[in-house]
Amino acid sequence: MPTWIDLSVPVVTGMPVYPGDPAVDVSPALRAPRDGVNVLQLHMGSQSGTHVDAPYHVDDAWPRLDELPLERFAGHAVVADVRGLPARAPITPELLAPALRQLRPGSLVLLATGWSAYWGTDHYLAHPWLTPEAAEALVAAGIRTVAVDALSVDPTPQPGDTTADFELPAHRVLCGAGGVIAENLTGLDQVVGVPHVELFLFPLRLPGADGAPVRAVARAV
């Protein structure tokens, strides 16, 4: 029987966000004892929690979320196991070579860095990152969807850094090819070594958006 695996972080008040993004607040708007129903009020950015980036996230001229085909958000997944790298280590084409040999048309790529273990700590900002050359190798292999268990596929500014020092080169390579990037996945150790994995990353339907939260789910066979 297939196993369904939730790869999403919970959406809660005060959860980690990318430096400078809106804080997340989840609070009751209506309460059943008083109002007859329970309804939550959500305040969050489009890049909060487990989410996807559309190409428009980094360039106004590139496709927005609702302009992308649905097949960008679901399909057969290949897991690139790059766990064990030190903080802020580059993920090079050589590290992706075993995964690249498994790819087939329409595959999605899961980058398993193991960095979700640091979710909620300052060390989460020091995740490994995808080099532009590695991103180009993925695009050359026909990949248009890359998901990672870290805050970004590019280096994240640390305290004392300025965002102006970070130009998001891997984002620009992947998004420039019309691809999508999913970030802040968790629990990818559960799919490492699994022979067949299907990945589902369907976002909220936000017209004209740069991205949206997703419920990232794997179906392991």
Side-chain angles (χ1 to χ4, degrees), residues 80-82 90-101 130-131 133-135 137:
D81 185 5
V82 293
I91 301 171
T92 63
E94 292 73 23
L95 291 173
L96 296 182
L100 289 171
R101 290 193 288 269
L130 197 64
T131 66
E133 295 78 14

Side-chain angles (χ1 to χ4, degrees), residues 32-100:
R34 181 190 66 203
D35 306 300
V37 292
N38 287 310
V39 175
L40 286 176
Q41 175 175 274
L42 307 178
H43 179 276
M44 59 196 299
S46 56
Q47 305 282 319
S48 299
T50 306
H51 67 274
V52 292
D53 298 348
Y56 177 68
H57 180 48
V58 292
D59 195 306
D60 282 358
W62 291 349
R64 300 169 189 241
L65 186 63
D66 55 328
E67 296 171 335
L68 297 170
L70 287 176
E71 55 263 32
R72 289 282 193 276
F73 307 104
H76 168 260
V78 171
V79 183
D81 185 5
V82 293
R83 295 173 299 172
L85 293 174
R88 303 196 75 148
I91 301 171
T92 63
E94 292 73 23
L95 291 173
L96 296 182
L100 289 171

Side-chain angles (χ1 to χ4, degrees), residues 99-111:
L100 289 171
R101 290 193 288 269
Q102 301 176 51
L103 295 176
R104 64 193 196 200
S107 291
L108 288 68
V109 169
L110 279 165
L111 290 178

Side-chain angles (χ1 to χ4, degrees), residues 95-184:
L95 291 173
L96 296 182
L100 289 171
R101 290 193 288 269
Q102 301 176 51
L103 295 176
R104 64 193 196 200
S107 291
L108 288 68
V109 169
L110 279 165
L111 290 178
T113 70
W115 226 255
S116 60
Y118 302 111
W119 175 255
T121 73
D122 290 343
H123 198 53
Y124 191 64
L125 301 179
H127 56 83
W129 49 275
L130 197 64
T131 66
E133 295 78 14
E136 288 165 359
L138 291 168
V139 168
I143 298 305
R144 294 297 180 270
T145 304
V146 176
V148 65
D149 56 349
L151 190 55
S152 177
V153 294
D154 283 299
T156 294
Q158 306 274 318
D161 294 337
T162 64
T163 54
D165 297 328
F166 295 82
E167 298 180 352
L168 305 177
H171 273 79
R172 299 197 69 82
V173 170
L174 296 169
C175 292
V180 300
I181 301 166
E183 295 162 329
N184 291 329

Side-chain angles (χ1 to χ4, degrees), residues 3-10 50 79-81 83 110-119 124 147-151 182-194 197-199 201 216-220:
T3 300
W4 292 89
I5 305 169
D6 195 338
L7 304 177
S8 313
V9 297
T50 306
V79 183
D81 185 5
R83 295 173 299 172
L110 279 165
L111 290 178
T113 70
W115 226 255
S116 60
Y118 302 111
W119 175 255
Y124 191 64
V148 65
D149 56 349
L151 190 55
E183 295 162 329
N184 291 329
L185 277 74
T186 190
L188 294 191
D189 57 299
Q190 299 172 86
V191 295
V192 172
V194 175
V197 177
E198 295 174 342
L199 180 63
L201 299 167
V217 175
R219 182 177 181 267

